[in-house]
Amino acid sequence: MAVNQMPHNLDAEKALLGCILMDEEVQSEILDDLHAEDFYQESHREILRGMKAVHAAGKAVDIVTLTDRLSADDKLNAAGGVQSITEIAENAISSVNYKQYLEIIKRDSMNRKLIRASKDVIEMCMKSPEEKDALEFAEKKVYAISQQEESTALKGLEDGVDVQAVLDRIELIQTNPDSARGVETGFPRLDRKTNGLQKSDLIIIAARPGAGKTSFAMNIVEHACLQRGKVAAVFSLEMSRRQLLQRLLCAYSGVSMKKANTPTADERLTPDDFKKLWAASDKIKHSKIFIDDKTNITAGEILSKCRRLKSSEGRLDLVMIDYIQLMQGDSAGKGSAENRQKEIADITRGLKIMAKELDVPVIALSQLRRFQGKEPQLSDLRESGAIEQDADIVMFINRFDQTASKEDMSSGKVVEGASELHISKFRNGEPGRIQLRFIGSKTKFVETDLQGRPEEEPQYIKKKPDWEESSEDDDGDIPIE
């Protein structure tokens, strides 16, 4: 590089543009935060402008879509022509090092901005009669650059735009309560309390091993996607994709999973059961439930995959992760309890940031310490208080039948599946309790109060409500719409 040339690296610019052309994940990851002025060569700037325009239109960026857009904008020649774009694509071997190319380009871009600002500061210092004026000018120049790099800079309220937006939202809610309704869970009392799961919220569902937290979360996904047509991303770190799908199929069809997995001479699936399964499978196949069962996934990887899904589907309504303690930190150290707590803290912080960026509710399941002889509480969250700190809602599933004595169970004082959903933390509302029953054979939770009566204090369910089946293995009809 000549002495008087501005910092730049044309090879890095070509390499990054090639990575964008060959990898949709890279497109979703960096195009929104990459700017034309980050590139030194004017033809590369035009190529990037074309890429961003194609991406903003919801299309995949490749040679055909890019050249078509540049031609439509009469910018193809300024971008170097078809031959130049083709050479960039052909010379791109792999996108694995795109972050390194991006760092080089961002570094040189920042240095060029600072050099230009420094020249202006030098000129100001040469002619300024007052020390204060030169200092203020230098500060403004440097802060202007940092403001361009920081999209979330502190912003005043004097223009009244944000204040008015809040007032308009409050007025709209008063005239139309459903306007602020989030993703409905399918549990009426929970939906009334939360007004649905709200965008950008991190919702923690915690329970001790075997209490049914995965089933409860999948019941929510089932209702949102199969009854309300929502788009959901499910990350299952514990169960395989097919295991999770079987739970979903049995829960939605109302067919006993016990009979499906371990039939006996007296208990086999009937022709009516198979009819329900086929009807449910057709509905599920056409739903917008996307399942990833990769183990040891990081929050960064989940965010990247969700960005791609949101781009390809045009929307994303819900994310569910099962479960936090099986996730891997991006860079936290290993080998000690202290390091693991730091890692979990980084993970939950990443999940909260993800919920805000994607503007969707994120449900993350969390394992509790094994039975301590008491009701689950916030201090039982394993490995980190950061889970409680970062969450907007923390809900515990408390299974009475798991802690009851044999005498209570045999006498009917506590029925099988008697459960409670304890909303222990609710950032935008009041904590509370909702009575549930877990139907194990169908991996399904149901509310025990279908009439909408006021919430009650925790209590053992002394007898089965009249609306429930007479036996847990009975196959009650669940409508398939």
Side-chain angles (χ1 to χ4, degrees):
M1 185 187 300
V3 175
N4 293 327
Q5 277 189 323
M6 287 286 204
H8 67 278
N9 188 319
L10 297 184
D11 290 334
E13 292 183 7
K14 291 177 182 178
L16 185 61
L17 292 174
C19 291
I20 295 172
L21 281 172
M22 71 183 302
D23 193 328
E24 287 188 22
E25 185 171 352
V26 174
Q27 295 169 20
S28 299
E29 181 79 16
I30 68 174
L31 271 179
D32 289 338
D33 296 323
L34 200 58
H35 306 287
E37 57 268 22
D38 291 330
F39 288 79
Y40 180 77
Q41 188 161 298
E42 182 58 32
S43 63
H44 295 166
R45 294 182 181 184
E46 291 296 348
I47 291 174
L48 181 70
R49 292 188 185 105
M51 289 177 167
K52 290 173 74 71
V54 172
H55 184 67
K59 301 176 183 178
V61 180
D62 56 31
I63 294 178
V64 176
T65 57
L66 176 59
T67 54
D68 180 71
R69 181 63 190 230
L70 290 171
S71 296
D73 294 340
D74 198 24
K75 296 291 184 180
L76 187 57
N77 289 334
V82 175
Q83 182 179 353
S84 177
I85 296 172
T86 302
E87 288 176 357
I88 288 174
E90 290 177 346
N91 291 331
I93 301 174
S94 169
S95 62
V96 68
N97 292 323
Y98 80 92
K99 289 185 178 180
Q100 284 76 14
Y101 306 146
L102 179 63
E103 288 177 1
I104 293 171
I105 292 169
K106 284 290 189 179
R107 178 201 66 197
D108 289 344
S109 174
M110 173 62 72
N111 287 338
R112 290 196 299 271
K113 292 175 183 176
L114 289 172
I115 288 171
R116 295 188 189 103
S118 298
K119 289 180 179 179
D120 293 339
V121 171
I122 290 172
E123 290 180 6
M124 181 65 177
C125 290
M126 295 293 290
K127 62 182 182 181
S128 175
E130 298 291 335
E131 173 189 355
K132 181 180 178 181
D133 292 342
L135 183 59
E136 287 180 353
F137 181 82
E139 287 178 345
K140 287 180 180 179
K141 280 290 183 179
V142 174
Y143 276 114
I145 295 173
S146 65
Q147 218 172 16
Q148 292 172 8
E149 296 300 311
E150 178 53 71
S151 60
T152 58
L154 289 170
K155 181 182 175 183
L157 302 173
E158 63 274 3
D159 60 9
V161 174
D162 293 325
V163 174
Q164 187 60 47
V166 173
L167 290 174
D168 290 343
R169 183 176 183 274
I170 292 173
E171 184 178 353
L172 180 61
I173 292 173
Q174 298 306 305
T175 56
N176 179 16
D178 289 338
S179 63
R181 186 174 297 278
V183 176
E184 294 180 8
T185 65
F187 296 93
R189 297 177 76 191
L190 177 59
D191 286 333
R192 286 197 296 272
K193 190 166 189 62
T194 62
N195 201 20
L197 304 182
Q198 298 294 314
K199 293 179 178 180
S200 79
D201 274 3
L202 175 60
I203 301 108
I204 302 296
I205 299 175
R208 295 193 172 100
K213 58 184 179 295
T214 303
S215 297
F216 184 77
M218 286 305 297
N219 291 165
I220 294 175
V221 172
E222 171 197 330
H223 180 82
C225 297
L226 300 180
Q227 301 292 345
R228 294 291 182 262
K230 302 296 185 181
V231 179
V234 176
F235 295 88
S236 178
L237 286 76
E238 184 175 33
M239 295 183 187
S240 70
R241 177 186 177 90
R242 292 186 178 181
Q243 286 176 321
L244 202 65
L245 183 58
Q246 182 172 356
R247 282 177 171 243
L248 178 62
L249 190 59
C250 289
Y252 186 59
S253 66
V255 172
S256 169
M257 194 165 74
K258 178 182 177 183
K259 291 181 182 179
N261 279 333
T262 55
T264 63
D266 299 329
E267 291 185 331
R268 291 181 179 274
L269 295 182
T270 65
D272 189 53
D273 289 331
F274 279 105
K275 183 179 178 181
K276 292 177 182 178
L277 286 170
W278 281 111
S281 67
D282 185 66
K283 181 78 172 181
I284 291 171
K285 282 190 294 186
H286 292 90
S287 70
K288 293 294 184 179
I289 301 175
F290 297 85
I291 301 175
D292 185 302
D293 59 0
K294 178 184 175 183
T295 57
N296 295 325
I297 197 169
T298 66
E301 289 173 324
I302 291 176
L303 175 57
S304 178
K305 291 182 179 184
C306 287
R307 281 186 186 133
R308 293 178 61 186
L309 178 60
K310 188 173 184 178
S311 176
S312 63
E313 291 297 319
R315 58 185 286 199
L316 180 61
D317 302 299
L318 181 65
V319 177
M320 195 277 274
I321 302 162
D322 183 14
Y323 56 89
I324 289 175
Q325 283 78 14
L326 292 180
M327 291 180 64
Q328 180 176 310
D330 289 301
S331 59
K334 309 289 194 300
S336 71
E338 183 179 352
N339 284 337
R340 181 55 180 165
Q341 287 182 359
K342 171 67 165 58
E343 189 175 15
I344 291 292
D346 290 342
I347 289 170
T348 56
R349 181 58 182 156
L351 295 180
K352 177 56 185 175
I353 292 172
M354 178 176 68
K356 285 187 65 178
E357 178 176 328
L358 296 173
D359 197 28
V360 299
V362 173
I363 298 174
L365 308 190
S366 178
Q367 193 82 281
L368 292 177
R369 297 182 181 91
R370 290 196 174 271
F371 180 57
Q372 304 281 318
K374 56 182 175 60
E375 178 182 76
Q377 52 189 348
L378 292 171
S379 60
D380 291 332
L381 288 168
R382 286 182 58 186
E383 296 177 301
S384 178
I387 298 177
E388 172 194 351
Q389 178 180 326
D390 293 324
D392 296 283
I393 299 176
V394 178
M395 297 187 285
F396 295 107
I397 298 173
N398 189 17
R399 288 279 300 278
F400 299 138
D401 59 339
Q402 290 183 333
T403 59
S405 65
K406 292 182 179 180
E407 290 75 14
D408 286 341
M409 293 297 294
S410 60
S411 66
K413 184 178 180 180
V414 180
V415 299
E416 190 170 357
S419 312
E420 179 185 70
L421 184 67
H422 179 197
I423 305 174
S424 182
K425 176 186 177 182
F426 190 3
R427 196 186 302 277
N428 298 312
E430 294 182 357
R433 301 173 187 267
I434 297 170
Q435 302 301 311
L436 303 172
R437 169 122 186 260
F438 180 57
I439 305 175
S441 64
K442 299 168 187 174
T443 64
K444 197 172 188 72
F445 281 89
V446 293
E447 289 187 0
T448 57
D449 183 354
L450 298 184
Q451 288 74 42
R453 291 190 294 263
E455 291 180 359
E456 301 173 351
E457 289 299 312
Q459 59 182 339
Y460 291 123
I461 302 171
K462 297 182 179 180
K463 65 177 182 178
K464 297 181 182 180
D466 295 336
W467 54 268
E468 289 187 356
E469 303 93 353
S470 59
S471 170
E472 184 173 318
D473 286 336
D474 289 344
D475 291 328
D477 289 336
I478 295 177
I480 301 172
E481 300 175 357

